[in-house]
Amino acid sequence: MISMDDKSVTANGRSYALPRQPVVVLCIDGCEPEYLNQAISAGCMPYVAELRQRGLCLTADCVVPSFTNPNNLSIVTGVPPSVHGICGNYFWDRDAGAEVMMNDPKYLRTGTLLAALADGGAKVAVVTAKDKLRALLGHGLSGICFSAEKAADAQLATHGIDDVPRRVGMEVPSVYSAGLSEFVFAAGVRLMRSERPDIMYLSTTDYVQHKAAPGTDAANDFYAMMDGYLHALDAEGAVIVLTADHGMNAKTDAFGRPNIVYLQDLLDRTHGAGTTRVILPITDPYVVHHGALGSFATVYLSGPVDVMAASRSIAAVAGIDAVLGREEACVRFELPPDRVGDLVVISERLSVIGTSRDRHDLSGLDAPLRSHGGVSEQQVPIIANRPGRALPVGRRWRNFDAFDLALNYL
Ligand SMILES: [Zn+2]
């Protein structure tokens, strides 16, 4: 999987030049391009605005399902889920007859390029907002890796660093706050000044993006905060590439009421209870801000339901964008077939998919529902603070080309 010479490292079939100056790749969770457009127009991002003259801006496609973990893992491995195996937060283990959470590194089918670069001699640091990603991002990595959420628990032996809140100069924020992402940026700047890693990966949380639309005060405040930290990283001489794990859209009608297709209820009515199982791979232990509702679902057929009949009944429902069989879905979206159901269902831009009405607690939603997961959230920005050289013409950029861009083209 991994080979190296003194100038480059090959990981998962792709070659990366070893960095000559510090490289920072940031994954801004839920960063629909419009957040940046609006914040720049409002004068909230003077540093990023300046990159129009001396940097680079591309539009890239993320991995579908446009969820956090599949995309973060794609960015740090440089390959899609068909190779690394992480295609959501959950899959249905048919043999075990149980929903299995995929945030354990044992589900990762390949090494990360972060680990490869560290093995090639680079000093690597990783900071993630939520702890659910830490073990996956840090798998096999000799270097620094901790989450903002559990920053106080970081130990030298296990995380490559300790005493993090004091070093960063911030209290550990609530997991449901803009502060959790700010801690990631602040830690990144502090690490750049104190440790000067060759490679740093910073991954935030989409708490703000789930609540606040582009151009709102809360969104612009977040991006203004981010702009300051990006400027500070630039001032330290870092090559910066910023991208996103996925976009974000309002999933409501014009009154702000959520458009929800309760897919399990629908299938139970049409084909009988117990014949199908709907899995929502967005489901995770932190559901308050989206009620476990996203635009991607996978359906396992267990009874005498035929695939065509189930597809037809789902496709006929308002709000559904596409219903694909496993094979077609896995080819189109580069997913691992053994972790995908018989059907993949994607909803339209303004709609989300639920299981059964009684399984979603919407009481925690204190703002009109915004979410992601579908093809409608696939386009994300890639911004760099260098203009790039010899960029391939007409290339379809993916967010998981971020390290390729940073190391091979800037
Ligand atoms: Zn995300």
Side-chain angles (χ1 to χ4, degrees):
M1 272 311 164
I2 291 162
S3 64
M4 62 191 89
D5 53 40
D6 56 356
K7 291 206 177 64
S8 69
V9 163
T10 300
N12 301 320
R14 304 183 69 174
S15 175
Y16 302 90
L18 286 169
R20 287 154 308 186
Q21 61 238 300
V23 164
V24 183
V25 171
L26 301 100
C27 177
I28 307 304
D29 200 325
C31 187
E32 184 72 23
E34 191 64 5
Y35 282 109
L36 293 162
N37 297 341
Q38 294 286 339
I40 291 168
S41 304
C44 297
M45 301 194 86
Y47 166 72
V48 172
E50 183 196 303
L51 296 181
R52 279 185 187 167
Q53 273 72 51
R54 61 180 179 92
L56 171 72
C57 183
L58 302 165
T59 300
D61 286 332
C62 77
V63 164
V64 173
S66 46
F67 290 144
T68 302
N69 288 15
N71 277 286
N72 268 273
L73 270 299
S74 290
I75 294 168
V76 302
T77 58
V79 287
S82 53
V83 181
H84 64 66
I86 307 297
C87 54
N89 292 331
Y90 275 95
F91 73 101
W92 174 250
D93 185 335
R94 274 191 156 131
D95 299 331
E99 290 187 23
V100 176
M101 232 181 142
M102 253 187 287
N103 61 358
D104 190 302
K106 73 180 181 195
Y107 296 110
L108 199 51
R109 291 176 166 159
T110 189
T112 71
L113 65 93
L114 299 173
L117 286 160
D119 291 344
K123 189 171 183 180
V124 179
V126 177
V127 187
T128 169
K130 291 181 184 175
D131 205 58
K132 70 171 178 182
L133 260 172
R134 189 187 58 81
L136 288 169
L137 296 177
H139 183 55
L141 172 67
S142 320
I144 295 172
C145 181
F146 62 90
S147 70
E149 181 186 356
K150 296 274 166 67
D153 302 345
Q155 297 296 328
L156 204 53
T158 47
H159 301 71
I161 193 169
D162 60 5
D163 205 12
V164 172
R166 189 195 56 79
R167 289 174 197 268
V168 176
M170 266 178 85
E171 304 258 311
V172 175
S174 153
V175 72
Y176 297 112
S177 71
L180 198 70
S181 292
E182 176 161 14
F183 194 98
V184 173
F185 296 126
V189 170
R190 186 49 57 122
L191 286 171
M192 189 51 70
R193 288 177 181 153
S194 59
E195 309 289 323
R196 204 158 177 85
D198 302 305
I199 297 280
M200 188 151 65
Y201 182 64
L202 305 177
S203 180
T204 65
T205 162
D206 54 9
Y207 171 83
V208 168
Q209 289 79 0
H210 268 290
K211 280 185 179 301
T216 57
D217 288 349
N220 285 349
D221 287 350
F222 179 85
Y223 283 86
M225 173 273 288
M226 184 170 106
D227 192 74
Y229 289 106
L230 292 172
H231 192 186
L233 288 168
D234 188 302
E236 296 299 319
V239 170
I240 298 173
V241 171
L242 175 157
T243 188
D245 53 350
H246 51 77
M248 184 73 71
N249 277 304
K251 299 289 180 180
T252 60
D253 65 14
F255 284 162
R257 299 174 300 198
N259 288 322
I260 307 171
V261 177
Y262 287 108
L263 191 56
Q264 188 69 69
D265 288 343
L266 172 102
L267 289 167
D268 288 354
R269 273 198 309 276
T270 319
H271 302 285
T275 59
T276 61
R277 177 180 296 272
V278 173
I279 297 286
L280 304 177
I282 193 174
T283 309
D284 74 7
Y286 320 77
V287 296
V288 173
H289 52 316
H290 52 62
L293 294 161
S295 286
F296 184 101
T298 181
V299 183
Y300 292 80
L301 307 178
S302 48
V305 182
D306 101 272
V307 175
M308 289 311 292
S311 302
R312 272 196 302 273
S313 57
I314 299 167
V317 176
I320 296 299
D321 177 19
V323 187
L324 306 172
R326 177 194 290 116
E327 238 173 84
E328 191 186 355
C330 288
V331 169
R332 180 168 165 197
F333 300 126
E334 301 170 279
L335 301 174
D338 58 324
R339 293 178 181 170
V340 172
D342 300 289
L343 295 172
V344 161
V345 185
I346 293 169
S347 61
E348 291 173 345
R349 181 170 73 87
L350 299 179
S351 298
V352 286
I353 302 168
T355 54
S356 311
R357 190 177 289 270
D358 59 12
R359 288 183 64 191
H360 292 275
D361 178 9
L362 304 185
S363 61
L365 286 178
D366 54 6
L369 180 65
R370 301 176 56 75
S371 196
H372 53 94
V375 176
S376 47
E377 290 80 36
Q378 193 175 16
Q379 291 195 296
V380 294
I382 295 185
I383 288 177
N385 66 342
R386 302 279 192 280
R389 53 190 153 73
L391 290 179
V393 176
R395 171 169 172 178
R396 180 198 183 199
W397 287 93
R398 309 299 304 271
N399 60 349
F400 58 83
D401 296 325
F403 280 98
D404 178 33
L405 177 69
L407 293 164
N408 297 333
Y409 293 100
L410 299 184

